[in-house]
PDB file of all heavy atoms in Angstrom:
ATOM      1  N   ARG R 358     -14.593   1.811 -10.787  1.00 74.00           N
ATOM      2  CA  ARG R 358     -14.195   3.050 -11.433  1.00 74.00           C
ATOM      3  C   ARG R 358     -15.111   4.237 -11.162  1.00 74.00           C
ATOM      4  O   ARG R 358     -14.742   5.384 -11.413  1.00 74.00           O
ATOM      5  CB  ARG R 358     -14.120   2.797 -12.952  1.00 74.00           C
ATOM      6  CG  ARG R 358     -13.407   3.859 -13.737  1.00 74.00           C
ATOM      7  CD  ARG R 358     -13.057   3.329 -15.096  1.00 74.00           C
ATOM      8  NE  ARG R 358     -12.174   2.188 -14.975  1.00 74.00           N
ATOM      9  CZ  ARG R 358     -10.853   2.285 -14.835  1.00 74.00           C
ATOM     10  NH1 ARG R 358     -10.283   3.471 -14.771  1.00 74.00           N
ATOM     11  NH2 ARG R 358     -10.119   1.214 -14.733  1.00 74.00           N
ATOM     12  N   HIS R 359     -16.291   3.991 -10.642  1.00 76.00           N
ATOM     13  CA  HIS R 359     -17.211   5.102 -10.461  1.00 76.00           C
ATOM     14  C   HIS R 359     -17.918   5.088  -9.112  1.00 76.00           C
ATOM     15  O   HIS R 359     -18.980   5.676  -8.967  1.00 76.00           O
ATOM     16  CB  HIS R 359     -18.254   5.118 -11.586  1.00 76.00           C
ATOM     17  CG  HIS R 359     -17.663   5.322 -12.939  1.00 76.00           C
ATOM     18  ND1 HIS R 359     -17.020   6.481 -13.304  1.00 76.00           N
ATOM     19  CD2 HIS R 359     -17.586   4.496 -14.016  1.00 76.00           C
ATOM     20  CE1 HIS R 359     -16.588   6.378 -14.556  1.00 76.00           C
ATOM     21  NE2 HIS R 359     -16.914   5.183 -15.000  1.00 76.00           N
ATOM     22  N   ALA R 360     -17.344   4.415  -8.123  1.00 85.00           N
ATOM     23  CA  ALA R 360     -17.959   4.399  -6.795  1.00 85.00           C
ATOM     24  C   ALA R 360     -16.875   4.344  -5.729  1.00 85.00           C
ATOM     25  O   ALA R 360     -15.803   3.779  -5.946  1.00 85.00           O
ATOM     26  CB  ALA R 360     -18.915   3.215  -6.647  1.00 85.00           C
ATOM     27  N   ALA R 361     -17.185   4.921  -4.594  1.00 88.00           N
ATOM     28  CA  ALA R 361     -16.268   4.905  -3.454  1.00 88.00           C
ATOM     29  C   ALA R 361     -17.080   5.158  -2.202  1.00 88.00           C
ATOM     30  O   ALA R 361     -18.257   5.534  -2.264  1.00 88.00           O
ATOM     31  CB  ALA R 361     -15.168   5.955  -3.615  1.00 88.00           C
ATOM     32  N   VAL R 362     -16.448   4.948  -1.053  1.00 92.00           N
ATOM     33  CA  VAL R 362     -17.060   5.314   0.224  1.00 92.00           C
ATOM     34  C   VAL R 362     -16.050   6.152   0.991  1.00 92.00           C
ATOM     35  O   VAL R 362     -14.854   5.862   0.982  1.00 92.00           O
ATOM     36  CB  VAL R 362     -17.481   4.079   1.052  1.00 92.00           C
ATOM     37  CG1 VAL R 362     -18.672   3.396   0.415  1.00 92.00           C
ATOM     38  CG2 VAL R 362     -16.332   3.103   1.227  1.00 92.00           C
ATOM     39  N   ILE R 363     -16.542   7.191   1.633  1.00 89.00           N
ATOM     40  CA  ILE R 363     -15.683   8.110   2.377  1.00 89.00           C
ATOM     41  C   ILE R 363     -16.337   8.403   3.725  1.00 89.00           C
ATOM     42  O   ILE R 363     -17.523   8.729   3.796  1.00 89.00           O
ATOM     43  CB  ILE R 363     -15.470   9.431   1.606  1.00 89.00           C
ATOM     44  CG1 ILE R 363     -14.676   9.176   0.323  1.00 89.00           C
ATOM     45  CG2 ILE R 363     -14.754  10.459   2.468  1.00 89.00           C
ATOM     46  CD1 ILE R 363     -14.455  10.418  -0.513  1.00 89.00           C
ATOM     47  N   ASP R 364     -15.525   8.311   4.771  1.00 89.00           N
ATOM     48  CA  ASP R 364     -15.995   8.608   6.117  1.00 89.00           C
ATOM     49  C   ASP R 364     -15.184   9.776   6.665  1.00 89.00           C
ATOM     50  O   ASP R 364     -14.017   9.622   7.016  1.00 89.00           O
ATOM     51  CB  ASP R 364     -15.848   7.381   7.016  1.00 89.00           C
ATOM     52  CG  ASP R 364     -16.193   7.678   8.470  1.00 89.00           C
ATOM     53  OD1 ASP R 364     -16.943   8.647   8.704  1.00 89.00           O
ATOM     54  OD2 ASP R 364     -15.699   6.953   9.355  1.00 89.00           O
ATOM     55  N   PHE R 365     -15.796  10.952   6.715  1.00 84.00           N
ATOM     56  CA  PHE R 365     -15.164  12.134   7.280  1.00 84.00           C
ATOM     57  C   PHE R 365     -15.688  12.436   8.679  1.00 84.00           C
ATOM     58  O   PHE R 365     -15.653  13.571   9.136  1.00 84.00           O
ATOM     59  CB  PHE R 365     -15.398  13.354   6.387  1.00 84.00           C
ATOM     60  CG  PHE R 365     -14.623  13.333   5.106  1.00 84.00           C
ATOM     61  CD1 PHE R 365     -15.156  13.885   3.954  1.00 84.00           C
ATOM     62  CD2 PHE R 365     -13.360  12.769   5.051  1.00 84.00           C
ATOM     63  CE1 PHE R 365     -14.436  13.881   2.766  1.00 84.00           C
ATOM     64  CE2 PHE R 365     -12.637  12.756   3.871  1.00 84.00           C
ATOM     65  CZ  PHE R 365     -13.178  13.309   2.720  1.00 84.00           C
ATOM     66  N   GLY R 366     -16.181  11.422   9.345  1.00 82.00           N
ATOM     67  CA  GLY R 366     -16.759  11.634  10.663  1.00 82.00           C
ATOM     68  C   GLY R 366     -18.229  11.968  10.538  1.00 82.00           C
ATOM     69  O   GLY R 366     -19.060  11.103  10.289  1.00 82.00           O
ATOM     70  N   ARG R 367     -18.548  13.226  10.677  1.00 82.00           N
ATOM     71  CA  ARG R 367     -19.944  13.639  10.554  1.00 82.00           C
ATOM     72  C   ARG R 367     -20.422  13.596   9.110  1.00 82.00           C
ATOM     73  O   ARG R 367     -21.624  13.516   8.838  1.00 82.00           O
ATOM     74  CB  ARG R 367     -20.125  15.052  11.115  1.00 82.00           C
ATOM     75  CG  ARG R 367     -19.883  15.157  12.621  1.00 82.00           C
ATOM     76  CD  ARG R 367     -20.152  16.570  13.105  1.00 82.00           C
ATOM     77  NE  ARG R 367     -19.939  16.681  14.547  1.00 82.00           N
ATOM     78  CZ  ARG R 367     -20.105  17.814  15.230  1.00 82.00           C
ATOM     79  NH1 ARG R 367     -20.477  18.922  14.591  1.00 82.00           N
ATOM     80  NH2 ARG R 367     -19.900  17.837  16.531  1.00 82.00           N
ATOM     81  N   ILE R 368     -19.490  13.687   8.179  1.00 86.00           N
ATOM     82  CA  ILE R 368     -19.839  13.651   6.753  1.00 86.00           C
ATOM     83  C   ILE R 368     -19.486  12.276   6.198  1.00 86.00           C
ATOM     84  O   ILE R 368     -18.332  11.844   6.272  1.00 86.00           O
ATOM     85  CB  ILE R 368     -19.099  14.745   5.970  1.00 86.00           C
ATOM     86  CG1 ILE R 368     -19.455  16.125   6.519  1.00 86.00           C
ATOM     87  CG2 ILE R 368     -19.431  14.660   4.488  1.00 86.00           C
ATOM     88  CD1 ILE R 368     -18.689  17.260   5.872  1.00 86.00           C
ATOM     89  N   ARG R 369     -20.467  11.607   5.652  1.00 90.00           N
ATOM     90  CA  ARG R 369     -20.260  10.287   5.070  1.00 90.00           C
ATOM     91  C   ARG R 369     -20.798  10.290   3.647  1.00 90.00           C
ATOM     92  O   ARG R 369     -21.947  10.680   3.414  1.00 90.00           O
ATOM     93  CB  ARG R 369     -20.960   9.221   5.912  1.00 90.00           C
ATOM     94  CG  ARG R 369     -20.436   9.154   7.346  1.00 90.00           C
ATOM     95  CD  ARG R 369     -21.267   8.238   8.209  1.00 90.00           C
ATOM     96  NE  ARG R 369     -20.772   8.214   9.588  1.00 90.00           N
ATOM     97  CZ  ARG R 369     -21.364   7.544  10.574  1.00 90.00           C
ATOM     98  NH1 ARG R 369     -22.479   6.854  10.333  1.00 90.00           N
ATOM     99  NH2 ARG R 369     -20.855   7.576  11.789  1.00 90.00           N
ATOM    100  N   LEU R 370     -19.971   9.876   2.720  1.00 88.00           N
ATOM    101  CA  LEU R 370     -20.356   9.921   1.317  1.00 88.00           C
ATOM    102  C   LEU R 370     -20.141   8.572   0.664  1.00 88.00           C
ATOM    103  O   LEU R 370     -19.275   7.795   1.072  1.00 88.00           O
ATOM    104  CB  LEU R 370     -19.528  10.980   0.575  1.00 88.00           C
ATOM    105  CG  LEU R 370     -19.631  12.434   1.069  1.00 88.00           C
ATOM    106  CD1 LEU R 370     -18.610  13.288   0.357  1.00 88.00           C
ATOM    107  CD2 LEU R 370     -21.040  12.962   0.857  1.00 88.00           C
ATOM    108  N   SER R 371     -20.899   8.316  -0.373  1.00 90.00           N
ATOM    109  CA  SER R 371     -20.718   7.104  -1.157  1.00 90.00           C
ATOM    110  C   SER R 371     -21.097   7.410  -2.596  1.00 90.00           C
ATOM    111  O   SER R 371     -21.668   8.460  -2.897  1.00 90.00           O
ATOM    112  CB  SER R 371     -21.572   5.955  -0.606  1.00 90.00           C
ATOM    113  OG  SER R 371     -22.951   6.281  -0.673  1.00 90.00           O
ATOM    114  N   GLY R 372     -20.742   6.491  -3.496  1.00 88.00           N
ATOM    115  CA  GLY R 372     -21.109   6.641  -4.887  1.00 88.00           C
ATOM    116  C   GLY R 372     -20.128   7.479  -5.688  1.00 88.00           C
ATOM    117  O   GLY R 372     -18.943   7.561  -5.380  1.00 88.00           O
ATOM    118  N   PHE R 373     -20.653   8.129  -6.733  1.00 84.00           N
ATOM    119  CA  PHE R 373     -19.812   8.835  -7.696  1.00 84.00           C
ATOM    120  C   PHE R 373     -19.118  10.051  -7.084  1.00 84.00           C
ATOM    121  O   PHE R 373     -17.947  10.311  -7.358  1.00 84.00           O
ATOM    122  CB  PHE R 373     -20.662   9.254  -8.891  1.00 84.00           C
ATOM    123  CG  PHE R 373     -19.866   9.836 -10.024  1.00 84.00           C
ATOM    124  CD1 PHE R 373     -18.980   9.050 -10.740  1.00 84.00           C
ATOM    125  CD2 PHE R 373     -19.997  11.167 -10.376  1.00 84.00           C
ATOM    126  CE1 PHE R 373     -18.235   9.577 -11.788  1.00 84.00           C
ATOM    127  CE2 PHE R 373     -19.257  11.708 -11.418  1.00 84.00           C
ATOM    128  CZ  PHE R 373     -18.377  10.907 -12.134  1.00 84.00           C
ATOM    129  N   VAL R 374     -19.844  10.814  -6.261  1.00 87.00           N
ATOM    130  CA  VAL R 374     -19.230  12.001  -5.645  1.00 87.00           C
ATOM    131  C   VAL R 374     -18.062  11.586  -4.757  1.00 87.00           C
ATOM    132  O   VAL R 374     -16.995  12.214  -4.767  1.00 87.00           O
ATOM    133  CB  VAL R 374     -20.281  12.783  -4.820  1.00 87.00           C
ATOM    134  CG1 VAL R 374     -19.607  13.895  -4.025  1.00 87.00           C
ATOM    135  CG2 VAL R 374     -21.353  13.355  -5.734  1.00 87.00           C
ATOM    136  N   ALA R 375     -18.257  10.505  -3.991  1.00 86.00           N
ATOM    137  CA  ALA R 375     -17.171   9.999  -3.142  1.00 86.00           C
ATOM    138  C   ALA R 375     -15.991   9.557  -3.993  1.00 86.00           C
ATOM    139  O   ALA R 375     -14.833   9.747  -3.611  1.00 86.00           O
ATOM    140  CB  ALA R 375     -17.679   8.839  -2.288  1.00 86.00           C
TER     141      ALA R 375
END
Side-chain angles (χ1 to χ4, degrees):
R358 194 164 299 276
H359 298 295
V362 289
I363 294 178
D364 174 23
F365 288 146
R367 294 183 179 180
I368 300 176
R369 299 172 182 176
L370 300 172
S371 62
F373 187 67
V374 172

